[in-house]
Structure formats: C-alpha cells, structure tokens
C-alpha cells in the first residue's frame, strides 16, 4: 500500500479534505545521494497539495492522519491516463491512413485520425476514471 501523512483541513460528512505534509516519495531529498526531485516539485507546486479522502477514522480538523492507497491503483491509473490515449492515437492514425483514397492525402488523413484518437483517448480515460471513483476502487482512505 502507498501511504503518506496529511493534516485534516475540512470535514465534509463522511469525507475529509486533507493537506499532504512532508517530502513524500522516498524521503531522501535532503541527502546528497537523493535525486532531488522535491526541488522540481517546489518549483512547479507553490501551494500545498490537498485531496478529498474517505474519513473512515472520523478524524477532526487539525488531526494528523495516515492516508493509504490500495496496491495497484497507481499502476492502473497510470496505464489509464498515459497508455490508453497513446494506443488510440496510434490506432486513429492507422485508421486514417487506411481510409485515405490516394497516397498524396494519406498523411493528412493519418494526422486527423491521430488527433481524433488522442482526443477520444483522453475523453475515455476521464470517463473511466470517474467510473472508478464511483465504484470507490481508486479512492484513498484515512
């Protein structure tokens, strides 16, 4: 399971808005042997990260909690967000090239097919991620 520490900012019924604390990752950011990716995070993320999670521990505002995410959720989500649009981009390009009438217009059809496949992949990934949240498959918990 993936775990991180957070502080409860707001309680919303059976859910809580939490703010992640700490460096995250492996915790070796201050070490010379660490990769230093937290410096990149600090550059692009000026505001603290906040998430809505299920509040099964009935934590109150200001409580420090441990947030857990089930095994495999991160891998499935990564595949959904990155691989699905890429596969549909390539498939759309091949279909576009297949339906072209002559060799001169093949690249144009392939480009349009690729663009439609990519947009369809992002739309489908968004739809499937909302479906996973409704099923509570990919929801972190306290």
């Amino acid at each position: 399971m993936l775990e991180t520490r957070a502080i409860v900012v707001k309680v919303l019924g059976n859910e809580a808005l939490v703010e992640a604390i700490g460096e995250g990752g492996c915790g070796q950011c201050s070490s010379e042997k660490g990769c230093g990716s937290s410096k990149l995070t600090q550059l692009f993320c000026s505001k603290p990260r906040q998430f809505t999670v299920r509040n099964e521990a009935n934590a109150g505002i200001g409580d420090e909690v441990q947030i857990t995410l089930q095994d495999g959720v991160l891998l499935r989500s990564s595949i959904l967000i990155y691989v699905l649009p890429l596969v549909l981009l390539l498939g759309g390009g091949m279909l576009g090239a297949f339906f072209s009438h002559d060799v001169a217009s093949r690249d144009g059809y392939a480009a349009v097919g690729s663009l439609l496949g990519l947009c369809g992949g992002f739309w489908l990934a968004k739809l499937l991620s909302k479906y996973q949240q409704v099923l509570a498959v990919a929801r972190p918990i306290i």
Side-chain angles (χ1 to χ4, degrees):
M1 285 197 176
L2 294 173
E3 297 178 344
T4 190
R5 295 179 320 152
I7 295 179
V8 177
V9 176
K10 188 176 185 181
V11 176
L12 312 161
N14 63 348
E15 295 185 336
L17 182 67
V18 296
E19 185 174 297
I21 57 175
E23 295 174 346
C26 67
Q28 298 295 322
C29 293
S30 59
S31 170
E32 285 184 19
K33 294 182 180 181
C35 68
S37 65
S38 72
K39 301 299 179 195
L40 188 63
T41 302
Q42 290 171 359
L43 179 66
F44 290 108
C45 302
S46 58
K47 295 191 307 185
R49 298 172 293 166
Q50 293 186 345
F51 305 96
T52 302
V53 298
R54 287 187 313 210
N55 189 5
E56 292 183 358
N58 293 325
I61 296 174
D63 291 348
E64 186 173 325
V65 294
Q66 188 82 14
I67 306 297
T68 60
L69 190 62
Q70 294 177 356
D71 288 331
V73 170
L74 187 61
L75 179 62
R76 283 192 306 268
S77 298
S78 298
I79 289 171
L80 183 67
I81 296 299
Y82 294 110
V83 176
L84 181 65
L86 180 64
V87 167
L88 290 180
L89 173 126
L90 295 173
M94 287 190 290
L95 279 175
F98 178 75
F99 285 117
S100 67
H101 300 293
D102 56 354
V103 176
S105 64
R106 183 170 292 164
D107 287 344
Y109 277 83
V112 170
S114 296
L115 184 63
L116 290 174
L118 182 67
C119 292
F122 284 134
W123 176 79
L124 189 59
K126 183 177 180 180
L127 185 72
L128 290 174
S129 68
K130 284 186 187 270
Y131 181 70
Q132 281 184 343
Q133 286 181 354
V134 168
L135 293 178
V137 173
R139 297 286 311 262
I141 59 171
I142 294 178

